[in-house]
Amino acid sequence: WCVVCVETNGAMVMVDDMLVNYCQQDVCAVPLRRLAPGPHELLIAIADLSDAVVSSSRFSFSLPWSDAISSNVALSSLGARAEALYSQGHFLPGALIDGITAGENNGWAYHGQMERAVVMVLLAGPALVQRVVVVSGAERPDHHVTEFMLSYSNHAAPEIEGAEWLPLPLNQTARPAEEVHVREGGHVTVARGVAEVELRCDYVEARAVRLRVLGSDADNNNAVVTELLVYAI
């Protein structure tokens, strides 16, 4: 915008009634960082030298979702941590967030102890989560996850079996679509032999994501979860 008609003390820029910037120049460009997809309202208020508002304009706009604006925040290199209820040998939970999605000996496993097959990823901070990818049994004929539940928490220090977890609100947009079935309560079933599952959800603010394994295509009920990717803004 350009202010030329009065002597001004600047312009205040608000999005959804929250101040995002204050400009004291005639022409300004204001970046809107970490703005969630969906409908928003922009307010531009111009003040005179006494800080009285002399002009204001409101605009409504909608920001569409694009995968390009999200990134995987479940990475140890970004400060994320992983903890499991139980781990098998060298298949430790930290391998879930190392950014490596290949290798038969890479990932977290639970030695077939399904009652303890729970792992959580603690993000470096709150993030708006919209997509989760589960990679399992990479480069293996079996040891793929065939049934699991996803949940999330916005608690600053969640317990892995605590009461603060909520089901991830998954929608029906899953890949591969023919081999993945999304149920209520963050519950997902997958055909045998599928190594990578992509799931989308309604936008939720989360500090942690939890995976509970309920089934595998290995005879001993074990699975190797190679990587858990959490895409957010």
Side-chain angles (χ1 to χ4, degrees):
W1 67 90
C2 183
V3 179
V4 295
C5 54
V6 296
E7 287 190 280
T8 71
N9 199 27
M12 177 177 62
V13 182
M14 300 182 71
V15 174
D16 301 332
D17 295 324
M18 295 184 63
L19 180 66
V20 296
N21 213 325
Y22 195 85
C23 180
Q24 294 181 311
Q25 300 174 3
D26 287 346
V27 179
C28 288
V30 178
L32 303 178
R33 298 184 177 90
R34 285 183 54 82
L35 194 60
H40 299 278
E41 188 172 80
L42 172 70
L43 169 67
I44 300 172
I46 301 170
D48 63 17
L49 296 179
S50 65
D51 284 334
V53 175
V54 295
S55 178
S56 66
S57 298
R58 287 184 179 271
F59 306 91
S60 295
F61 67 98
S62 183
L63 181 65
W65 176 267
S66 167
D67 288 348
I69 67 175
S70 67
S71 60
N72 178 25
V73 294
L75 289 168
S76 55
S77 60
L78 297 178
R81 297 183 293 111
E83 298 178 10
L85 202 57
Y86 175 79
S87 298
Q88 171 190 338
H90 68 277
F91 291 95
L92 300 175
L96 282 177
I97 54 173
D98 60 4
I100 302 172
T101 58
E104 63 177 343
N105 292 314
N106 174 48
W108 164 75
Y110 49 89
H111 209 268
Q113 299 193 35
M114 199 70 73
E115 69 280 0
R116 297 198 284 174
V118 186
V119 66
M120 67 176 178
V121 174
L122 306 167
L123 307 177
L128 284 173
V129 175
Q130 195 265 351
R131 183 162 50 111
V132 175
V133 177
V134 179
V135 181
S136 66
E139 301 177 13
R140 288 174 173 265
D142 51 23
H143 283 67
H144 306 100
V145 173
T146 57
E147 186 176 359
F148 58 90
M149 293 184 71
L150 286 169
S151 51
Y152 75 99
S153 174
N154 202 22
H155 195 278
E159 297 288 337
I160 194 167
E161 290 281 51
E164 61 272 20
W165 296 92
L166 297 171
L168 201 62
L170 301 173
N171 58 42
Q172 295 296 321
T173 308
R175 291 192 298 181
E178 303 81 11
E179 298 173 290
V180 180
H181 180 60
V182 178
R183 304 179 181 179
E184 294 183 355
H187 191 178
V188 180
T189 55
V190 187
R192 298 170 67 90
V194 176
E196 183 172 321
V197 176
E198 179 183 287
L199 300 152
R200 295 174 184 266
C201 66
D202 300 332
Y203 313 110
V204 294
E205 183 170 305
R207 294 174 181 263
V209 173
R210 183 179 69 178
L211 171 71
R212 183 183 296 274
V213 179
L214 300 172
S216 121
D217 61 4
D219 292 339
N220 62 356
N221 290 325
N222 197 22
V224 177
V225 184
T226 312
E227 197 80 359
L228 183 62
L229 301 91
V230 179
Y231 287 87
I233 57 175

